[in-house]
Amino acid sequence: MQLTVNGFSMAYSDAGQGTPLLLVHGFPLNGRLWHPQLDGLSDVARVIAPDLRGHGDSQAVPGPYSMDLFADDLNVLLDALGIQEKIILCGLSMGGYVVFAFYRKYAHRLHGLILTATRAGADTSAGKAGRDKMMVLAREKGVAAISESMLPKLLAPQTYPARPDLVEQVRAITLGVSLEGVLGDLAALKERPDSTSTLAQIDVPTLILHGADDQIIPLSEAEAMRAGIHGSKLVVVPQAGHLLGLENANLFNQAVRHSLKE
Ligand code: MLT
């Protein structure tokens, strides 16, 4: 499905009824990341999975992008879908950075948060230098080179030999981003604010999910968010890396289902 949002055409999936559960993907991914949640949770929630600007089937608009801009796009999407009730907002990795931005701007729309494979802090200076290198790589070698560089880190080490079909599925998802999207994301990632001070302000039920074998964001980041967000709960998902909702969909969905009932 497509809607015009903030001046561009945004693609999204929308399945089920009940409390809206808005799923925000990471870099350099798209809403197809959430297929197991659209399939496995639409009996208990209205599951909405957009492609952020520049990603998947959304329009490849040029940057600059920012976490605030992504949050604005999602806010307009909710209006366009006529959603007035409070939602549960779930973000994976960069999608988690968007969740923090959304919380700061649109907390009144939120019933709960799910922070997945993410962190509160900003990029370190080494991290920012890494973003610059990736931008050069993207400009010189294109999206395929970004896919090649990300693919070996996105899943748990044991997933690669055990599940070649899943690896190919993830490769295809990473190839669905536009060059504008990659460059826009990298600038937004590099410039994103430190959200550590937001943690203590969060006053909605928050579930933190982290893959036990995440190669991109260490578990200590999830533990720090757990310590910083009052009343939050951390579930470590075994047999899963950075893309835990794909790698261990059953446990991921079970944890989300449980939190929806609370
Ligand atoms: C993501 O998965 O969204 C990114 O790897 C996050 C990051 O690089 O900080």
Side-chain angles (χ1 to χ4, degrees):
M1 286 177 269
Q2 298 270 347
L3 269 174
T4 299
V5 156
N6 263 354
F8 72 98
S9 174
M10 181 178 236
Y12 66 98
S13 301
D14 185 354
Q17 286 173 352
T19 303
L21 172 63
L22 179 59
L23 303 172
V24 190
H25 63 78
F27 166 82
L29 307 165
N30 60 59
R32 278 192 282 151
L33 175 73
W34 301 112
H35 269 176
Q37 285 64 51
L38 284 153
D39 286 348
L41 293 170
S42 55
D43 61 328
V44 285
R46 178 175 176 185
V47 186
I48 303 162
D51 293 346
L52 295 174
R53 56 172 65 214
H55 300 75
D57 293 324
S58 285
Q59 202 177 326
V61 276
Y65 298 176
S66 67
M67 299 308 155
D68 276 357
L69 183 63
F70 287 139
D72 292 343
D73 292 346
L74 296 174
N75 183 53
V76 177
L77 175 69
L78 291 173
D79 285 344
L81 292 173
I83 292 175
Q84 279 160 11
E85 66 263 57
K86 292 190 175 196
I87 66 158
I88 296 177
L89 182 61
C90 168
L92 179 129
S93 202
M94 182 179 80
Y97 313 153
V98 177
V99 169
F100 290 126
F102 193 99
Y103 188 87
R104 287 190 286 269
K105 297 190 86 167
Y106 307 111
H108 61 279
R109 295 199 92 133
L110 294 168
H111 177 69
L113 302 181
I114 304 176
L115 293 164
T116 302
T118 193
R119 55 155 64 92
D123 272 6
T124 60
S125 47
K128 286 180 197 282
R131 307 292 187 196
D132 290 337
K133 273 196 189 160
M134 292 271 271
M135 281 192 241
V136 172
L137 182 67
R139 284 201 188 94
E140 287 180 354
K141 302 264 170 66
V143 165
I146 299 299
S147 166
E148 282 308 309
S149 77
M150 291 298 293
L151 194 59
K153 298 180 281 193
L154 286 169
L155 301 168
Q158 65 273 23
T159 301
Y160 294 89
R163 300 175 67 188
D165 290 359
L166 185 66
V167 177
E168 287 316 305
Q169 196 184 325
V170 172
R171 186 196 305 278
I173 294 176
T174 60
L175 288 172
V177 68
S178 64
L179 182 59
E180 290 90 339
V182 167
L183 296 173
D185 284 359
L186 287 167
L189 287 162
K190 181 181 169 188
E191 300 305 331
R192 77 182 190 278
D194 187 341
S195 294
T196 307
S197 63
T198 304
L199 299 180
Q201 293 162 18
I202 292 175
D203 61 356
V204 293
T206 300
L207 173 64
I208 300 164
L209 296 170
H210 209 87
D213 307 305
D214 192 322
Q215 302 191 70
I216 295 182
I217 299 189
L219 180 58
S220 56
E221 298 283 359
E223 288 164 345
M225 292 191 298
R226 160 71 199 88
I229 303 174
H230 181 72
S232 63
K233 183 176 163 191
L234 169 62
V235 176
V236 180
V237 177
Q239 296 301 323
H242 197 55
L243 305 188
L244 55 162
L246 271 183
E247 289 177 88
N248 198 337
N250 284 345
L251 279 192
F252 184 99
N253 288 354
Q254 202 177 304
V256 174
R257 243 169 216 282
H258 194 75
S259 79
L260 286 170
K261 283 195 208 123
E262 278 174 356

